[in-house]
């Protein structure tokens, strides 16, 4: 029962869409109405407001980290083990993808997934972040960087910790992230994907 409660709490934390909240606070258009229509930091950046995009990125990453940190710190006294941590990781990620507070219209999960990975282990998150940065810098496509980083994340986890329930959670997040980027994959193949920093039309 405690494991289920922690997972539900994680889902609710994940359901806070910082792209929508921050955009409203800055008086910007709803990110679900322009660009890729994805409520995430990359699309908020298309508004031209870098501060709003940065806050969105930090907020979405922080909620992923927070859910895992809370489960790791306070979970053991309630019987939360690795399976519980894995469910919390998936819960907060699913909350971001399909947020109950925003009619289940959420982002693609890149920042939140990174926050989860940093919460699980700093080295795991850092390795994945470096992968994203290298690809993003080289090709200027946020989606391509996210796709490649998501493929490497389970590999990094396996190298660091081997096979356990949390690895399955990382694999599930990677699969969902790739699924959420299916239109980006099509755009990349067609040469129509927007580059980082491009303005909304």
């Amino acid at each position: 029962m405690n494991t289920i409660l922690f997972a539900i709490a994680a889902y609710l934390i994940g359901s806070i869409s910082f792209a929508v909240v921050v955009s409203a606070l800055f008086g910007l258009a709803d990110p679900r109405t322009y660009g890729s229509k994805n409520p995430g930091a990359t699309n908020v950046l298309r508004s031209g407001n870098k501060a709003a995009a940065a806050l969105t990125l930090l907020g979405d990453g922080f909620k992923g980290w927070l859910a895992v940190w809370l489960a790791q710190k306070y979970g053991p006294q309630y019987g939360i083990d690795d399976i519980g941590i894995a469910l919390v990781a998936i819960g907060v990620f699913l909350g971001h993808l399909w947020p109950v507070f925003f009619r289940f219209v959420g982002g693609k999960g890149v920042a939140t997934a990174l926050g989860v990975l940093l919460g699980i282990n700093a080295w795991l998150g850092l390795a994945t972040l470096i992968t994203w940065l290298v690809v993003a810098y080289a090709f200027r496509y946020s989606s391509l960087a996210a796709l490649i980083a998501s493929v490497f994340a389970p590999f990094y986890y396996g190298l660091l910790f081997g096979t356990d329930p949390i690895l399955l959670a990382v694999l599930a997040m990677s699969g969902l992230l790739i699924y959420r980027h299916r239109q980006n994959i099509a755009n990349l193949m067609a040469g129509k994907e927007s580059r980082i920093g491009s303005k909304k039309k």
Side-chain angles (χ1 to χ4, degrees):
M1 178 60 71
N2 288 334
T3 297
I4 294 174
L5 291 176
F6 267 78
I8 292 174
Y11 171 78
L12 295 177
I13 291 172
S15 289
I16 301 171
S17 179
F18 280 90
V20 178
V21 172
V22 170
S23 292
L25 290 175
F26 276 75
L28 304 174
D30 189 322
R32 295 169 295 181
T33 64
Y34 64 82
S36 66
K37 295 182 171 56
N38 173 60
T42 301
N43 204 36
V44 173
L45 184 61
R46 293 190 177 102
S47 72
N49 194 313
K50 294 181 180 179
L55 285 175
T56 298
L57 180 67
L58 290 173
D60 284 344
F62 175 74
K63 69 185 181 185
W65 174 87
L66 178 64
V68 174
W69 180 81
L70 289 173
Q72 289 177 329
K73 184 172 178 61
Y74 299 105
Q77 60 186 302
Y78 296 102
I80 305 300
D81 55 13
D82 281 354
I83 293 176
I85 299 297
L87 291 176
V88 164
I90 288 294
V92 69
F93 188 69
L94 290 177
H96 179 79
L97 300 187
W98 294 286
V100 67
F101 304 132
F102 295 92
R103 299 181 181 180
F104 303 101
V105 179
K108 295 176 182 176
V110 178
T112 301
L114 177 60
V116 168
L117 296 177
L118 286 168
I120 293 172
N121 180 268
W123 289 112
L124 172 64
L126 183 61
T128 306
L129 174 60
I130 290 173
T131 302
W132 188 95
L133 289 172
V134 169
V135 177
Y137 179 80
F139 298 99
R140 307 298 297 173
Y141 288 115
S142 175
S143 57
L144 179 62
L147 289 165
I148 293 177
S150 69
V151 170
F152 275 88
F155 173 73
Y156 294 145
Y157 186 93
L159 285 179
L160 289 169
F161 307 108
T163 303
D164 62 17
I166 299 177
L167 173 59
L168 296 179
V170 175
L171 282 167
M173 286 194 301
S174 296
L176 284 169
L177 193 147
I178 292 170
Y179 170 76
R180 294 287 283 190
H181 280 78
R182 60 194 184 281
Q183 184 58 54
N184 301 90
I185 294 172
N187 289 342
L188 285 166
M189 294 179 68
K192 298 179 180 179
E193 184 72 348
S194 297
R195 292 181 182 270
I196 295 173
S198 63
K199 299 293 181 65
K200 66 178 180 179
K201 297 181 180 179

